[in-house]
Each structure stands twice: as C-alpha cells, then as structure tokens.
Amino acid sequence: SVKTAGTGAQTVAQFSSGQFDGALYYVVSNDTVHGSIQSSKVSVMHDMTNAFVTDSSVTRTDDSDAHPTYDADVSASDDSSAVVRLKASDQDGSTVNPANGISYYRVGLGDDDSTGYVGELGLMHDIMHVDIIDSTVVTLDQISHGAHVGAKYFINVKNQNTGETSNIEALVTHDGTNAYITTYNEHFSGNNSLINLTADINGTAFRLRGSATAGGSTKVIVNRIIAFGDSESEEANSDSTRKIIGNTIVSSSATEFDSFPADVTDAVHYVITGQKGSAENFICEASVITDGTEVFVSQGPNVSSKSTDMLEISATISSGTVSVKASSTSGSSTVQAFAIKLKAPDSVQTLSLIHI
C-alpha cells in the first residue's frame, strides 16, 4: 500500500485483529522534500488491546535525513473486530511541510491462513501452523537437508493463558551433520521471551524446533518465508514484487547475481544463500537501496556452517542500473536469493496493495 505520512501520526496500513496475530512489513519511504530513500522491516503484533512494533534492517541513502518513525495501536473494540493500525509520523520538524511516500509488502500471520498453504513462487510462504505447544520440544518445520541449503522464518507466538504475544525471525542452515540457527528481531508484549528456538539434523532432514517458555497453551504460527534447494532456477513465476534468483557462481571477486533499474525499483530486500560443496553452507539477509545516483547496502544477520561468513554483499550503479554482487571467502561458490522489490512513490497520491 502507498500512503503519505503527513503531520502527526498517519495510518499507513491496517488489518482486523481477528485476521492476523502479527505481520511483517517490508517498507520503503521517499522523503519527497529532501529526495532521500529509506527501507526497513516493521514487525507488528497485538494482544487485542494493544499493538507493539519494532523497526529493523534500516538502510538509508542519506543518514542526515529523518524519515518517518512507526508505531501501532488497536481500535476501541477488544475483540476480533478491532482494527490494528500501523502508523507513521514525520520527523522533519515543524518548519517543513511533510511529504513522504510509503510503500510496503506485508506478510501476515493469523488463523485465516490455511495450514500448509504453499506460496505462489516455489518454496515461498509455506505456512506451518502448530496450534498449541508446551515446554516439550517439538518440530515446527523440517526440510530435506540433502536437497536444501537453508530457510528463513517469520513466527508469531501467543500465550493463550496470559494473552502475551511475540514476533520473532529466524535463519537456518546446515552442513549435513549439524544445523545452525540465529533468531533475531524478537519482541514481546510481556517481560520475557515466549519461545525457545533451536535447529538440528534428524535423519535426512534439518529441523526447526521449538518449546514454550511458559508451559502449555502457547499458540505458534510459523511462516517459512523461503526455503532454498541445492539447485534453483530463475523462478518463472516471479512478478514485479518478488523474485527467485537461481544458481549463480561467484568467486573471491565480487560477482553480479542480480540487477535492477533504479528508475523502477528503489529498494530490494534479499534472503541469500551460499554453497561450497555439500558441507559448507551460508544464509543471510541484505538490503540494497538507491537514490538513482548512489547505491547503499546493509547485510545481516548471517549464519554460516564455518567459523567465518562465506559471502559479502556489495552493489554498484552504472547508467541507471544497479548491480548486486557477492564475493565468497570460500572461493568458487553457488549463490541463490529471494528478493522483495519495492518502489517508493514520487507522488503521495497513489494507492496500491502488496499483501501476502
């Protein structure tokens, strides 16, 4: 959706509390007054009464320019008809007439999502819905390790006894013998984390595992945003927002694995894997944004099956085309990626929808 963030807190997105327990927004904003771009991930959750927000992976074309900040609230009804509203507040100050164009891509998690829903682009947006867990460790997802490199997850957790809720993200990879996980961007409405996440190898599968920190009656919804096979082709069903980037061989020198025109796309958020043989794997996130003249990159978190990170992500721009590159500390390596592409509006009058 594309909105303007004018004076005061402006609602830029909303959903009914009965529809989603949490949502992850990939956001790009265009400060049309100062001509700078910012991208970030905004994680929203609620307990039917209050809403909670984190803003992470912030990447800017101009660090001196203040872009909108994000908050959320819940409308008066304390039931499934209540509306959760994501709000943006301009930070340019009272002397500037604010004009910020905001676009987003949303991943929502809730009871309206079908168990086992398979996304439109290959192994993307598979919903693994475990209704109730307790302090016993259970398998939340499992994937063949012989045919897959790693996976990215977005997870919502709710203690149905206390009403406490949380969102958390995770990256998982493996070396065929052990699995490696990092969890991040966790926030919770109470004082403590609601879930312990681990990863392991069991037989032919690497598994995402979890247990509740507060005993029984803990509801978990897991969105496997993307899982990568050992051999990926360029996805035939890629659309204007999402793209699967197939096997690309990179080396110790920065090698292009993706490109995009700067006049069509302002920001791209990537989940990227690297492979070296069957026992050396890597997965990370990265953001690349451009103002049409320069290009800016942020990378992380990273998870590697070796002691150092395999890939370094960089980007250049030439003749209006951004070239996104990877170099490997392991020499010749195979790179794959999943991309979410966003264009911030030059005008604040446009309205469109990009929802999952």
Side-chain angles (χ1 to χ4, degrees):
S1 182
V2 180
K3 296 280 190 179
T4 175
T7 302
Q10 304 285 309
T11 298
V12 295
Q14 64 182 35
F15 56 86
S16 70
S17 60
Q19 180 183 19
F20 296 130
D21 295 321
L24 183 64
Y25 292 86
Y26 295 84
V27 180
V28 63
S29 60
N30 178 9
D31 184 339
T32 60
V33 175
H34 297 102
S36 73
I37 305 293
Q38 175 178 293
S39 69
S40 66
K41 293 188 301 181
V42 179
S43 178
V44 180
M45 63 183 187
H46 68 91
D47 61 8
M48 292 289 187
T49 303
N50 300 295
F52 310 87
V53 169
T54 63
D55 191 10
S56 65
S57 300
V58 178
T59 311
R60 301 184 178 97
T61 61
D62 182 356
D63 284 338
S64 66
D65 186 20
H67 277 252
T69 58
Y70 298 96
D71 200 353
D73 66 10
V74 180
S75 64
S77 299
D78 186 18
D79 56 33
S80 61
S81 67
V83 174
V84 180
R85 299 174 293 199
L86 175 63
K87 296 190 171 185
S89 299
D90 182 77
Q91 300 298 305
D92 280 329
S94 59
T95 61
V96 177
N97 184 26
N100 301 285
I102 297 174
S103 301
Y104 67 79
Y105 173 94
R106 185 186 71 197
V107 178
L109 292 183
D111 292 334
D112 282 358
D113 297 317
S114 299
T115 300
Y117 167 76
V118 178
E120 297 169 3
L121 302 180
L123 292 169
M124 190 194 84
H125 290 309
D126 295 340
I127 305 296
M128 319 307 295
H129 188 167
V130 179
D131 284 334
I132 302 294
I133 68 171
D134 56 25
S135 57
T136 303
V137 177
V138 299
T139 298
L140 302 175
D141 189 31
Q142 58 183 341
I143 311 170
S144 167
H145 67 73
H148 297 90
V149 183
K152 158 68 190 286
Y153 297 92
F154 172 53
I155 301 163
N156 176 264
V157 187
K158 185 173 184 179
N159 184 320
Q160 298 194 118
N161 287 332
T162 66
E164 293 174 271
T165 184
S166 75
N167 283 347
I168 186 171
E169 298 177 65
L171 291 172
V172 180
T173 191
H174 67 90
D175 59 12
T177 302
N178 299 295
Y180 305 87
I181 184 171
T182 187
T183 60
Y184 54 101
N185 199 21
E186 180 182 18
H187 61 124
F188 32 84
S189 61
N191 296 320
N192 301 290
S193 175
L194 299 179
I195 194 168
N196 291 318
L197 293 175
T198 58
D200 69 6
I201 295 282
N202 182 57
T204 61
F206 70 94
R207 305 185 297 181
L208 175 68
R209 307 266 279 162
S211 61
T213 62
S217 299
T218 297
K219 174 183 169 184
V220 179
I221 305 175
V222 178
N223 184 322
R224 188 172 66 202
I225 288 182
I226 185 70
F228 292 93
D230 278 347
S231 180
E232 290 282 358
S233 311
E234 198 82 4
E235 176 60 58
N237 295 328
S238 294
D239 57 31
S240 61
T241 305
R242 300 165 295 179
K243 181 180 182 181
I244 300 292
I245 298 155
N247 288 22
T248 303
I249 304 301
V250 305
S251 66
S252 57
S253 300
T255 304
E256 179 180 295
F257 66 88
D258 191 30
S259 65
F260 59 88
D263 62 340
V264 175
T265 300
D266 292 320
V268 183
H269 190 90
Y270 294 95
V271 182
I272 304 164
T273 63
Q275 304 171 65
K276 176 69 172 181
S278 60
E280 196 172 310
N281 290 322
F282 174 84
I283 188 168
C284 74
E285 293 196 38
S287 295
V288 178
I289 66 170
T290 182
D291 57 9
T293 302
E294 297 181 89
V295 62
F296 305 83
V297 178
S298 64
Q299 179 178 343
N302 304 303
V303 187
S304 182
S305 64
K306 65 175 192 174
S307 58
T308 58
D309 293 332
M310 179 189 293
L311 299 180
E312 180 179 354
I313 310 304
S314 60
T316 58
I317 185 168
S318 177
S319 301
T321 297
V322 174
S323 174
V324 187
K325 305 174 181 181
S327 59
S328 175
T329 60
S330 299
S332 179
S333 306
T334 302
V335 167
Q336 306 163 345
F338 168 59
I340 296 174
K341 302 175 288 181
L342 294 170
K343 173 67 177 175
D346 298 322
S347 164
V348 296
Q349 302 303 315
T350 309
L351 177 63
S352 64
L353 298 175
I354 310 170
H355 288 167
I356 289 293

